[in-house]
């Protein structure tokens, strides 16, 4: 029961709660049983019908990519975050706030056991299930990371950054902060704290130097 959705995905507060429940149930089962877990089991664990799951996600591949992206972005949207992603536009010191957001992001990529396990699962399953890559490409960066994209749009709308292409900017954030750790992690090692801080400081500086509407130090 995969393929193109016959109608737009459900919207509204109730639909969003169901979507979160589906992702949470899928995350637990993927972590426990791998990508081979059935959609029936995911639906039962989420307390919804299988039709509801497919109304929100066109395929198991699409659901899996949403689980992975959600795990990566979790520290950016947590209510107890030092600098919530949604509050970047109001931050008096945008450079400092973006650095703190990036630090939380990197910490999750490096240290969160669910994220580490999901990354290993992607590496193990992508050869058996090439549809995973197809699902990721269909959604694109802004579709997988809507909170990040919305934060950048807000910064642009408020005149704090000048971002012409949000999708490119999302990828650039990943390239500066997350990808170095993912790449090094593939070799069974990790970047140390000193290298991590250097990458954070330089990455924030480069991003703001490119997108700032005024001198990067004034944002």
């Amino acid at each position: 029961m995969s393929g193109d959705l016959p109608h737009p995905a459900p919207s509204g507060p109730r639909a969003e709660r169901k979507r979160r429940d589906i992702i949470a149930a899928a995350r637990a089962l993927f972590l426990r049983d791998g990508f081979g877990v059935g959609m029936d089991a995911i639906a039962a664990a989420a307390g919804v019908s299988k039709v509801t799951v497919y109304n929100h996600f066109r395929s198991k591949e699409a659901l899996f990519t949403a689980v992975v992206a959600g795990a990566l972005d979790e520290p950016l949207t947590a209510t107890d975050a030092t600098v919530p992603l949604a509050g970047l536009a109001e931050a008096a010191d945008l450079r400092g706030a973006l650095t703190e957001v990036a630090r939380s992001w990197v910490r999750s990529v490096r240290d969160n056991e669910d994220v580490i396990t999901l990354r290993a699962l992607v590496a193990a399953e992508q050869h058996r299930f090439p549809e995973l890559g197809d699902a990721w490409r269909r959604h694109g960066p802004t579709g997988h990371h809507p909170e990040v994209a919305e934060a950048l749009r807000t910064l642009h709308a408020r005149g704090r950054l000048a971002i012409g292409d949000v999708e490119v900017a999302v990828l650039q954030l990943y390239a500066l902060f997350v990808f170095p750790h993912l790449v090094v992690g593939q070799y069974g090692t990790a970047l140390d704290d000193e290298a991590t801080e250097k990458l954070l400081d330089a990455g924030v500086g480069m991003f703001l130097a490119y997108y700032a509407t005024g001198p990067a130090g004034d944002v």
Side-chain angles (χ1 to χ4, degrees):
M1 191 173 178
S2 59
D4 293 336
L5 287 172
H7 51 72
S11 60
R14 185 167 178 267
E16 182 58 30
R17 286 193 298 272
K18 286 190 176 183
R19 186 179 188 277
R20 288 197 298 266
D21 289 344
I22 292 167
I23 289 176
R27 176 169 168 171
L29 290 177
F30 284 138
L31 286 168
R32 190 188 74 186
D33 301 330
F35 185 69
V37 67
M39 291 291 260
D40 286 325
I42 293 171
V48 300
S49 69
K50 189 163 72 169
V51 170
T52 298
V53 175
Y54 278 109
N55 282 341
H56 285 270
F57 302 96
R58 70 180 67 187
S59 66
K60 185 165 65 170
E61 292 80 16
L63 175 55
F64 185 75
T65 55
V67 168
V68 174
L72 283 172
D73 291 352
E74 202 168 53
L76 304 181
T77 56
T79 56
D80 60 348
T82 304
V83 181
L85 183 67
L88 272 180
E90 286 76 36
D93 174 14
L94 181 55
R95 182 180 182 120
L98 183 57
T99 300
E100 186 57 39
V101 166
R103 186 175 288 118
S104 297
W105 206 357
V106 168
R107 188 180 300 122
S108 177
V109 170
R110 291 177 57 188
D111 303 331
N112 185 289
E113 290 299 325
D114 279 9
V115 172
I116 293 169
T117 302
L118 286 168
R119 282 165 47 197
L121 186 57
V122 170
E125 300 284 22
Q126 63 184 346
H127 301 298
R128 291 200 302 142
F129 300 99
E131 298 89 351
L132 288 173
D134 294 338
W136 190 276
R137 285 190 292 274
R138 280 198 302 270
H139 284 73
T142 57
H144 284 298
H145 311 289
E147 292 87 358
V148 179
E150 185 59 29
L152 294 179
R153 290 190 189 99
T154 302
L155 285 164
H156 176 81
R158 302 279 179 86
R160 303 199 69 179
L161 297 179
I163 299 176
D165 190 325
V166 172
E167 186 157 304
V168 169
V170 172
L171 282 173
Q172 288 168 333
L173 284 177
Y174 262 77
L176 290 167
F177 305 134
V178 176
F179 287 169
H181 296 274
L182 297 181
V183 171
V184 172
Q186 294 299 312
Y187 295 94
T189 185
L191 293 169
D192 62 26
D193 290 342
E194 182 180 0
T196 295
E197 286 300 314
K198 287 179 179 178
L199 284 170
L200 287 172
D201 184 63
V204 170
M206 286 189 284
F207 189 82
L208 294 180
Y210 188 79
Y211 287 113
T213 53
D218 295 340
V219 296

